[in-house]
Amino acid sequence: MRKQLLFLFLTIIGTGAIQGQIKSTKIGYIDMEYILQNVSNYKEAQNQLEQKAQKWQQEIEEKKNEIKKLSESLNTEKPLLTKELIEEREAEIKFLEKEVLEFQQNRFGANGALIQQKLLLTKPIQDQVFTTVQDIAEAKKYDFIFDKSSDLTMLFAAKRFDISDQVLRVINRSERIEQLTKKQQKELEEKEKREDEIKENPEILDKQKALDAKKEAREKEILERKLLQETKKKEFEERRKKLAAEKEAKINPNLANKTATTEVTSNEKQEAAELIRKKQAEEKAKNLEERKKVIEEKRKATEDKRNKIIEERAAAKKAAEEKLKTNTNKN
């Protein structure tokens, strides 16, 4: 079965390569096990099922211990019992052993309750995954989407073709979609769309870096311009007040002392305002620096991820070449 699926997969890839000049074949894959383990509803139900299985196992152990005690008691009392009593108690022990075996089979057997409940638990999510995969394939024009955890043997698959996270986001989003406003839903969809585009096409990352750098430079320029305008405004205000005070002193010298006192109070207010503006400017500069640091960390993480993907591709290519070489030598 696996050989047939592998042959089918290679045939599809070969056909897509031959017809590449006419139309490029778009292929993706999912990991059903990964998706199931990261769906919140599935994890909660699975935990409940595991607790139930532990309870069943505990009941089996208790029954086995009871049978063991009866067997030990019979072995101890055999010299004192008649043949009929011994046969009766042995029959009772065999009946209990058979009962435990049936209980164990009904709970943990191939068609037992545990397997049946797992199937009931998994099927709705598998159906949801199937529907989601169809929607993604239709929206993004995929030609083929495979399941990595199925019988199909995938010797190598680049991470950028893995759409498991996209499927998982759609499923989890449907659970919390009612709690979001329309604006938040749109922002979330746009964010996920950008992330998927970057994942499918690493070249977009370079463009994103350039845009982030331009945005950072623009914000810095705006901040510097605003600080310069505030400084000029402050200098102009001080000159205006000084000229007004000198004019007032010439007109009414008696008010000179009062003006001087007022000017001191005004200067104190200006100093306080200056301290506030300075503090705000420092906070803005600090926020800008922190944002720059976050962008740099994101850039480094993305670069590391990209390098890792390149290394994985090189390693997979080398392994394939070595395997081909080995097969050629054998032949």
Side-chain angles (χ1 to χ4, degrees), residues 170-225:
V170 173
I171 293 173
N172 288 334
R173 184 175 60 197
S174 63
E175 296 177 3
R176 63 177 189 275
I177 199 73
E178 296 178 357
Q179 302 175 2
L180 301 177
T181 63
K182 291 183 178 180
K183 183 178 179 181
Q184 289 173 330
Q185 293 175 21
K186 188 175 180 181
E187 290 175 352
L188 181 62
E189 290 174 358
E190 290 177 352
K191 179 182 176 183
E192 292 175 353
K193 184 179 179 181
R194 286 195 301 270
E195 291 175 354
D196 294 339
E197 288 175 351
I198 291 173
K199 183 177 179 182
E200 293 175 3
N201 189 3
E203 287 76 13
I204 296 178
L205 182 61
D206 296 332
K207 295 181 181 179
Q208 187 65 39
K209 288 180 186 177
L211 290 174
D212 291 339
K214 287 181 181 179
K215 185 177 180 181
E216 183 182 349
R218 187 167 60 251
E219 289 178 351
K220 186 177 180 181
E221 183 181 351
I222 292 171
L223 179 61
E224 291 175 351
R225 191 181 303 167

Side-chain angles (χ1 to χ4, degrees), residues 231-279:
T231 303
K232 288 182 178 180
K233 184 178 179 182
K234 179 187 173 186
E235 291 175 353
F236 174 78
E237 188 68 23
E238 288 177 352
R239 284 199 302 270
R240 187 187 67 78
K241 288 182 179 179
K242 187 176 180 181
L243 290 172
E246 290 175 354
K247 185 177 179 180
E248 185 70 24
K250 288 179 181 179
I251 296 172
N252 193 351
N254 294 328
L255 295 175
N257 293 333
K258 184 176 180 181
T259 302
T261 304
T262 305
E263 185 177 351
V264 171
T265 305
S266 177
N267 289 336
E268 290 176 352
K269 291 181 179 179
Q270 289 178 5
E271 289 176 359
E274 175 64 20
L275 288 174
I276 292 172
R277 283 195 292 270
K278 186 177 180 181
K279 187 174 181 181

Side-chain angles (χ1 to χ4, degrees), residues 10-261:
L10 293 175
T11 302
I12 291 169
I13 298 298
T15 305
I18 293 170
Q19 298 177 349
Q21 295 179 349
I22 301 174
K23 177 188 175 184
S24 60
T25 304
K26 191 172 183 181
I27 297 174
Y29 69 91
I30 63 169
D31 187 343
M32 181 65 77
E33 293 180 0
Y34 169 78
I35 293 172
L36 290 175
Q37 292 301 324
N38 287 276
V39 174
S40 57
N41 290 341
Y42 177 81
K43 288 197 293 185
E44 291 175 3
Q46 191 179 38
N47 290 334
Q48 294 177 1
L49 191 58
E50 287 177 357
Q51 292 176 3
K52 190 176 290 186
Q54 290 176 0
K55 183 179 179 181
W56 289 339
Q57 188 62 42
Q58 186 177 356
E59 291 178 6
I60 291 171
E61 293 299 326
E62 289 176 355
K63 290 179 181 294
K64 286 183 177 180
N65 289 333
E66 183 181 349
I67 294 171
K68 184 179 178 182
K69 289 179 181 178
L70 290 174
S71 298
E72 291 175 351
S73 176
L74 177 60
N75 291 332
T76 303
E77 298 175 1
K78 259 185 181 180
L80 304 176
L81 299 175
T82 62
K83 183 179 179 181
E84 290 77 9
L85 287 174
I86 293 173
E87 290 176 353
E88 183 181 338
R89 291 177 66 172
E90 285 177 346
E92 181 184 0
I93 291 172
K94 287 181 180 180
F95 175 80
L96 292 175
E97 287 175 344
K98 184 179 179 181
E99 190 178 53
V100 171
L101 187 61
E102 289 177 354
F103 180 84
Q104 187 172 0
Q105 190 67 21
N106 290 335
R107 297 295 184 272
F108 299 101
N111 296 317
L114 184 63
I115 299 297
Q116 294 299 324
Q117 292 190 28
K118 278 186 178 180
L119 292 174
L120 290 174
L121 172 65
T122 306
K123 191 177 184 305
I125 301 174
Q126 287 177 330
D127 293 341
Q128 193 175 5
V129 171
F130 179 73
T131 302
T132 304
V133 167
Q134 285 186 318
D135 293 339
I136 293 174
E138 184 177 350
K140 298 193 175 183
K141 309 300 181 185
Y142 277 94
D143 294 296
F144 304 99
I145 297 179
F146 299 94
D147 182 5
K148 184 180 179 181
S149 60
S150 67
D151 290 335
L152 177 63
T153 302
M154 298 179 69
L155 300 179
F156 171 76
K159 185 64 178 175
R160 64 193 179 95
F161 295 117
D162 187 356
I163 64 169
S164 299
D165 288 328
Q166 295 181 42
V167 175
L168 194 57
R169 279 200 301 268
V170 173
I171 293 173
N172 288 334
R173 184 175 60 197
S174 63
E175 296 177 3
R176 63 177 189 275
I177 199 73
E178 296 178 357
Q179 302 175 2
L180 301 177
T181 63
K182 291 183 178 180
K183 183 178 179 181
Q184 289 173 330
Q185 293 175 21
K186 188 175 180 181
E187 290 175 352
L188 181 62
E189 290 174 358
E190 290 177 352
K191 179 182 176 183
E192 292 175 353
K193 184 179 179 181
R194 286 195 301 270
E195 291 175 354
D196 294 339
E197 288 175 351
I198 291 173
K199 183 177 179 182
E200 293 175 3
N201 189 3
E203 287 76 13
I204 296 178
L205 182 61
D206 296 332
K207 295 181 181 179
Q208 187 65 39
K209 288 180 186 177
L211 290 174
D212 291 339
K214 287 181 181 179
K215 185 177 180 181
E216 183 182 349
R218 187 167 60 251
E219 289 178 351
K220 186 177 180 181
E221 183 181 351
I222 292 171
L223 179 61
E224 291 175 351
R225 191 181 303 167
K226 190 174 181 180
L227 291 173
L228 182 61
Q229 289 175 352
E230 290 178 354
T231 303
K232 288 182 178 180
K233 184 178 179 182
K234 179 187 173 186
E235 291 175 353
F236 174 78
E237 188 68 23
E238 288 177 352
R239 284 199 302 270
R240 187 187 67 78
K241 288 182 179 179
K242 187 176 180 181
L243 290 172
E246 290 175 354
K247 185 177 179 180
E248 185 70 24
K250 288 179 181 179
I251 296 172
N252 193 351
N254 294 328
L255 295 175
N257 293 333
K258 184 176 180 181
T259 302
T261 304

